[in-house]
Amino acid sequence: MDPRTVKFICFAAFGGAALWAGYAARKRQWVREEVSRHVHLHTVVWVWSSVSLLSLWVQPLRWRDAPLAMVQVILVGASALAAVGVCRALRLARPQIAAVSISSGLGNLGFTLGGYVCYVLLTPHATALGIAIAYVTVMQVAGVVLLYPLARHYSQHAPGDVGLGRLILSGLWDVRAAPLYGALLGEVLGTMKLPVPGAVGQWHLIDILFYLGSFGGYFGIGLRLRLGDSLKLLKGHAVAAGVKFVFIPLLTVAMLMLLAQLHWPLSPTARQVALVEAAMPTAIQSVMIANLFHLDSRQASSLWLWNTVLFFILGFPLVLLVVAGRPGV
């Protein structure tokens, strides 16, 4: 087996172990379910923001690949709206429509899956990682601007809820937006060609942060996981799977072809990153948004789990096929 594939499998196994640890800790009442929020908060603020900063400092995004931002914004909005349309046609309940549409619009493109896949499987590794981090940063911003209104529309307002405008601003400004500002700072430092501290490479700091971020993300979601809820959302699982593993890959390919026709083709590495990320399952952020808007976080967790399982059955073999078919990768 290719060493890069083995490296990714080890990372995925570590994430699975962290997920199980969170689930077991809650089941045995070692850790309260509510701790999940604090675990995710500190993971986002300290670990994910550090990865964003270092990745783009090492390799900032080039102007040639700037259209990736437009591609990702379109994917977030189009995927969520497509899921809403199909869910309405299937007459799913409002809580299910909310959970499925948000899960469809957000992908696990960053530190806990897609970014690491690009880092390990694509070359140059630093370039692929920098592009992937820029890609997921755009997704996070688009998720706040485009999906917060969708979540509020389907949510049951609780007393004390702030207005949507203030909520969107807080999503872009408060401490949870630390990865966005880490990415922007890294882009500035990289563009200015300021030297990256030698310890980053010597201590394999980015690899360590990836594992820390994976533990925090998966352990936190394991605390919320309810396996018994899975069978209650079979139609929702089918819709999310169709959007993530059929609609998004096809739309991504179509947009890459359109960019080439418009004489703004992406660099080879950027195209590879876009294709690899198109195969990723739903994001941990979908569960966080469900919590924020008083949606059914258990349904969101169930969608996240089984969409991720389907990725390893359907998506990951496709990723290996894409990578194997690209010379020099």
Side-chain angles (χ1 to χ4, degrees):
M1 188 179 292
D2 185 273
R4 298 173 300 174
T5 305
V6 172
K7 189 174 182 180
F8 169 72
I9 290 174
C10 291
F11 180 76
F14 177 84
L19 178 71
W20 176 86
Y23 177 76
R26 179 191 57 78
K27 288 281 287 185
R28 299 181 183 183
Q29 299 183 344
W30 295 341
V31 182
R32 291 180 294 109
E33 181 176 345
E34 294 75 17
V35 173
S36 170
R37 181 184 178 190
H38 302 290
V39 171
H40 279 159
L41 178 63
H42 287 285
T43 300
V44 167
V45 171
W46 304 109
V47 183
W48 290 6
S49 59
S50 298
V51 175
S52 296
L53 189 156
L54 292 176
S55 300
L56 285 166
W57 189 356
V58 171
Q59 183 59 63
L61 189 68
R62 294 178 294 179
W63 171 249
R64 177 181 178 181
D65 296 324
L68 269 180
M70 176 193 67
V71 169
Q72 184 51 230
V73 170
I74 292 173
L75 285 174
V76 171
S79 302
L81 290 177
V84 168
V86 177
C87 287
R88 284 180 173 175
L90 295 174
R91 301 190 179 187
L92 297 185
R94 287 176 64 87
Q96 292 184 353
I97 294 176
V100 173
S101 60
I102 293 169
S103 297
S104 298
L106 299 172
N108 198 342
L109 312 182
F111 322 103
T112 52
L113 192 59
Y116 192 80
V117 172
C118 294
Y119 178 51
V120 173
L121 297 183
L122 302 180
T123 56
H125 301 299
T127 302
L129 177 59
I131 294 170
I133 296 304
Y135 204 53
V136 73
T137 301
V138 173
M139 184 205 75
Q140 290 166 342
V141 174
V144 172
V145 176
L146 300 179
L147 299 187
Y148 274 25
L150 180 65
R152 172 56 62 86
H153 175 73
Y154 283 104
S155 70
Q156 297 182 2
H157 301 294
D161 278 353
V162 300
L164 180 60
R166 287 181 58 190
L167 200 59
I168 290 175
L169 288 176
S170 70
L172 298 174
W173 183 249
D174 73 6
V175 70
R176 292 169 296 182
L180 167 62
Y181 295 101
L184 292 174
L185 178 57
E187 181 71 21
V188 170
L189 294 174
T191 301
M192 294 174 63
K193 300 189 183 302
L194 295 178
V196 180
V200 173
Q202 293 171 3
W203 298 350
H204 302 283
L205 191 56
I206 290 179
D207 294 271
I208 293 171
L209 288 171
F210 262 114
Y211 272 85
L212 287 174
S214 175
F215 177 82
Y218 289 128
F219 182 85
I221 207 168
L223 290 172
R224 294 281 189 184
L225 197 59
R226 295 291 197 284
L227 295 178
D229 295 337
S230 301
L231 296 179
K232 301 176 183 177
L233 198 58
L234 290 179
K235 290 182 179 178
H237 288 303
V239 174
V243 173
K244 300 303 295 184
F245 304 123
V246 179
F247 180 78
I248 289 179
L250 291 177
L251 183 56
T252 300
V253 171
M255 285 192 287
L256 293 179
M257 294 174 63
L258 178 61
L259 286 174
Q261 290 296 317
L262 294 175
H263 304 291
W264 200 342
L266 302 175
S267 67
T269 303
R271 289 198 302 272
Q272 293 160 9
V273 168
L275 290 171
V276 168
E277 296 282 37
M280 294 300 123
T282 189
I284 291 175
Q285 188 183 359
S286 62
V287 183
M288 297 177 179
I289 292 179
N291 281 325
L292 181 63
F293 284 93
H294 313 290
L295 301 171
D296 193 332
S297 60
R298 293 183 180 179
Q299 286 189 354
S301 297
S302 176
L303 282 164
W304 173 86
L305 173 65
W306 293 108
N307 205 252
T308 301
V309 170
L310 282 175
F311 162 75
F312 285 101
I313 297 173
L314 303 174
F316 189 56
L318 177 62
V319 167
L320 292 180
L321 182 64
V322 169
V323 172
R326 302 281 173 174
V329 175

